[in-house]
Amino acid sequence: CFDEFNRIDIEVLSVVAQQLLTIQNALKAEVDRFTFEGREIKLIPTCGVFITMNPGYAGRTELPDNLKALFRPCAMMVPDYALIAEISLFSFGFHDAKLLAGKMVATFRLCSEQLSTQDHYDYGMRAVKSVIT
């Protein structure tokens, strides 16, 4: 699994696309062994490749078409920040975790809505978790 795959440089992504295509072709051919990067290796037919991406963020690149064709998209929904914050706070021993999580998430939401837009401002889940921990 490659997390935040679209943070990788475009040149590297092109190389990865060729490597993944080699693996996929071996899977389609249902062979036991195949040549990968000049070495013969065993193919495990149950292997899978998964990527996560956060499109629209600063520093992210668009995937090349040959790489997009190798993956099936799966949409995700925005997580319940208040519930995640509440559980995290409970795990750290806070008794009023529900109340605190609600206030914290409300503060972050207000900041994202009312403060000026800056690339270095982050009021997402990562910021919520970093404040809690």
Side-chain angles (χ1 to χ4, degrees):
C1 182
F2 297 96
D3 190 24
E4 296 195 24
F5 195 63
N6 57 333
R7 291 184 77 178
I8 301 172
D9 292 333
I10 193 75
E11 298 82 16
V12 177
L13 287 175
S14 294
V15 173
V16 171
Q18 290 303 318
Q19 293 171 333
L20 291 174
L21 187 59
T22 302
I23 296 168
Q24 279 190 338
N25 288 338
L27 286 168
K28 287 177 188 172
E30 297 180 2
V31 294
D32 294 328
R33 302 185 72 74
F34 72 106
T35 303
F36 183 79
E37 297 284 309
R39 296 177 58 196
E40 187 171 308
I41 61 173
K42 180 181 177 186
L43 177 65
I44 301 171
T46 57
C47 72
V49 179
F50 303 91
I51 63 172
T52 65
M53 297 189 336
N54 293 315
Y57 282 79
R60 304 316 198 270
T61 57
E62 184 69 22
L63 292 186
D65 289 337
N66 63 338
L67 194 53
K68 278 184 191 175
L70 299 176
F71 294 98
R72 293 183 195 152
C74 175
M76 301 295 215
M77 53 191 282
V78 175
D80 184 345
Y81 287 17
L83 180 60
I84 294 169
E86 178 185 348
I87 292 167
S88 295
L89 288 166
F90 267 127
S91 74
F92 283 109
F94 287 86
H95 297 291
D96 292 330
K98 189 174 191 82
L99 177 68
L100 291 171
K103 288 181 178 183
M104 189 167 138
V105 170
T107 302
F108 275 81
R109 185 178 17 82
L110 285 171
C111 288
S112 69
E113 291 171 356
Q114 295 183 5
L115 295 178
S116 64
T117 304
Q118 301 288 326
D119 286 341
H120 57 276
Y121 288 171
D122 178 16
Y123 301 107
M125 190 74 246
R126 189 174 287 134
V128 172
K129 290 291 286 181
S130 69
V131 169
I132 292 172
T133 58

